[in-house]
Amino acid sequence: MARAHLYGTPVSPGIALGTVHFLHTDPVPEKRRILAAEVEQEQEKLQAALQAVSEDLDKACKKVPEDMQEYREIIAVQKDMTRDPRLVESTGKLIAEDLVNASWALSQVVQQLCNIFREMQDPYLQDRAQDIRAVGLRILEKLSGSEHGAELPSSLILAAEDISPADIMDLDADRIVGIMTHEGGITSHTAIMARGMHIPALVCVTNLMVAAKEGDSVILDGITGNILIDPDDNDSKRLSERAENYRSWRKATSNMAHWPADTVDAVRVSVLANIESPEETSSLAATGADGIGLYRTEFAFMGDNIPNEEELATEYTKVVQGSPGTAVIRTLDCGADKLMKAQAQLKEPNPALGLRGVRYTLRNQDLFRVQLRALLRAGVSGRLAVMVPMISNVEEVRAVKRLMQEVDQELCMRHIPHARTLPLGIMVETPAAMMITDALARECDFFSIGTNDLIHYMLAIDRNNRHVAYLSDCMHPAVVRALKRIIDSGHRAGLSVSACGELSADPFGVVLMLGMGIDAFSVSPAFLPGIKHLIRKLEARACTELASQVLMSSDIPACKHMVREMLQKTMGHELGFMTSSSMVERGQTV
Ligand code: PEP
Ligand code: MG
């Protein structure tokens, strides 16, 4: 155990003190020659291990909390792999033909399958390799008897290359106080799940696999991104106090969550929720959400089966009925890092610049019509607006509107109750859309700024590439000017403008965009009470002055300094409880 400082990207807020527990550290199986007479025995061992893993995954499925049912499907996919002939039959064959023990045979087959998938160089199939590896490791753990047992300590900080939702459910969730991974991103499922379960988490932790060891004591700060391995007594005391203060702050902001987000000079801003499953609506009231600003519809399309109109209509109706205000449902935004199975076959050289979002849905209109019909049907059950992602020209918006009219006619002919029309908005997230907002505004009812992709495309920084993450900066003058341009042209055309990327949950982004007159922020529910609290403390007029100064400057450090000063003056020590990529000063905070 050696004292070390590590840094990662905060994806779920909170501070955790606990003991490192590594998941899936490759057990290296020994190769053992067996006698022909032992083949049956080894094959029985394999079957028993497969059965045990399948039962474990079943149990993990059952532990998935009510409001996170979508994770059951991910776990079910892994369970299906325990019956996959490519894995099971090939291993059995290898045992019998090469006369080797089950663990060795399994490790060889898993390795071969992983290599085949990895070599395909396709993000979707590469993900499959990760699933196979994860299941393979579980089976190996069973075969070697080395699986994590009941004698684990109570405050676990899980560490791994990557963690799947099943891993979290597999352990007693109450024992997990923190998560840190070498891979992953802010929008990965583990990140979303960690936020939903209020488990502090960091991803992209550099050096994690070499610097941390099983059983190390560790402090993880899911707000600043710092990790301290082997803290001394002073560190532990200081960070325990910080953790306690953070808990009190969270409780206090949650208690005030239902108050409106009015600035001190009485400017009202809506604060909405970004969610991904209908089950999440059940906890929205407690967060004080004024509505749903972004419902991501991709999840239902990621499995083996494409959902039908009935299933989608049921899903969207639940979202509309469960929303505290208007629910903005985004049409399918598959592509880039959210590839559907069908897209994997396209073998696009650069999927982030390929058939993504509306480009894909307009090219696959049968599928798009099903989704649009489901949306119109859900429109009868409450306030619903439709939002289209990845728009880069006016024709795309017109094409979507034409399709909506056509599906309305289809539903009329089938005598199915539905909303004849719905408000239609667009995500402004490509530089092209940002430059033609005046023309786009004439075609739609509202704008929502997708800051994640806007920054990614404007600054030419792959949002999932940790090597260039250091270049991502919301205070880059190009980003600041783009935000202003979108908000102004939306308003000039009488449209409401919201922002729904991660920047909406960042105090720097809130000050800037509030100062530019944004109407609403849409954030992950974990950040909602804190963002409302911040807005209630800000003065809109002062934010406007500050935003003007920032707009006139191209000196990023000076601009950050100005915004930080205002935030510190407004929030005092509370600022330390809010996550901001602009405030993380690596190496200084723990
Ligand atoms: C965005 O791009 O900012 C956004 C909210 O959408 P997503 O993260 O789903 O691409
Ligand atoms: Mg986007």
Side-chain angles (χ1 to χ4, degrees), residues 248-259:
S248 310
W249 180 77
R250 238 189 122 97
K251 196 161 171 240
T253 52
S254 297
N255 289 343
M256 298 182 280
H258 55 284
W259 297 356

Side-chain angles (χ1 to χ4, degrees), residues 52-259:
V53 169
S54 167
E55 282 167 15
D56 282 357
L57 291 171
D58 252 348
K59 281 188 212 144
C61 245
K62 292 195 181 109
K63 286 200 229 161
V64 175
E66 268 307 302
D67 55 350
M68 296 191 155
Q69 291 306 307
E70 73 273 24
Y71 291 101
R72 285 199 170 164
E73 282 166 41
I74 297 181
I75 300 173
V77 168
Q78 293 197 349
K79 190 185 153 197
D80 286 348
M81 283 182 181
T82 62
R83 291 191 297 263
D84 191 323
R86 283 171 299 189
L87 189 77
V88 182
E89 282 165 23
S90 311
T91 307
K93 212 163 142 214
L94 201 62
I95 296 172
E97 287 176 0
D98 285 19
L99 295 178
V100 287
N101 55 323
S103 302
W104 174 259
L106 181 85
S107 67
Q108 298 306 297
V109 172
V110 167
Q111 194 56 49
Q112 279 164 14
L113 286 172
C114 285
N115 288 346
I116 293 170
F117 281 106
R118 280 201 190 109
E119 273 163 24
M120 289 178 181
Q121 291 293 319
D122 180 290
Y124 174 78
L125 294 171
Q126 279 176 0
D127 281 356
R128 277 283 120 110
Q130 269 183 354
D131 280 336
I132 292 169
R133 187 165 170 271
V135 172
L137 286 171
R138 279 171 179 271
I139 305 167
L140 276 182
E141 280 168 358
K142 288 282 178 203
L143 283 168
S144 67
S146 68
E147 53 184 315
H148 33 75
E151 46 324 316
L152 286 172
S154 55
S155 298
L156 296 178
I157 299 205
L158 300 186
E161 281 283 347
D162 209 349
I163 288 179
S164 76
D167 297 326
I168 301 176
M169 290 304 130
D170 213 15
L171 296 162
D172 185 354
D174 290 341
R175 289 178 174 203
I176 305 169
V177 297
I179 295 173
M180 47 189 190
T181 64
H182 184 237
E183 299 293 332
I186 198 155
T187 49
S188 69
H189 285 122
T190 302
I192 293 163
M193 191 167 193
R195 282 198 289 273
M197 296 178 76
H198 304 294
I199 302 173
L202 300 178
V203 298
C204 296
V205 179
T206 21
N207 271 335
L208 175 65
M209 306 310 282
V210 282
K213 302 275 172 297
E214 180 77 17
D216 278 354
S217 66
V218 65
I219 301 175
L220 174 154
D221 193 323
I223 300 161
T224 61
N226 286 270
I227 293 167
L228 190 53
I229 295 177
D230 190 21
D232 63 22
D233 289 347
N234 276 340
D235 296 322
S236 300
K237 188 165 169 280
R238 189 165 44 88
L239 269 298
S240 300
E241 270 168 28
R242 176 165 155 74
E244 194 44 52
N245 292 338
Y246 174 71
R247 271 193 293 274
S248 310
W249 180 77
R250 238 189 122 97
K251 196 161 171 240
T253 52
S254 297
N255 289 343
M256 298 182 280
H258 55 284
W259 297 356

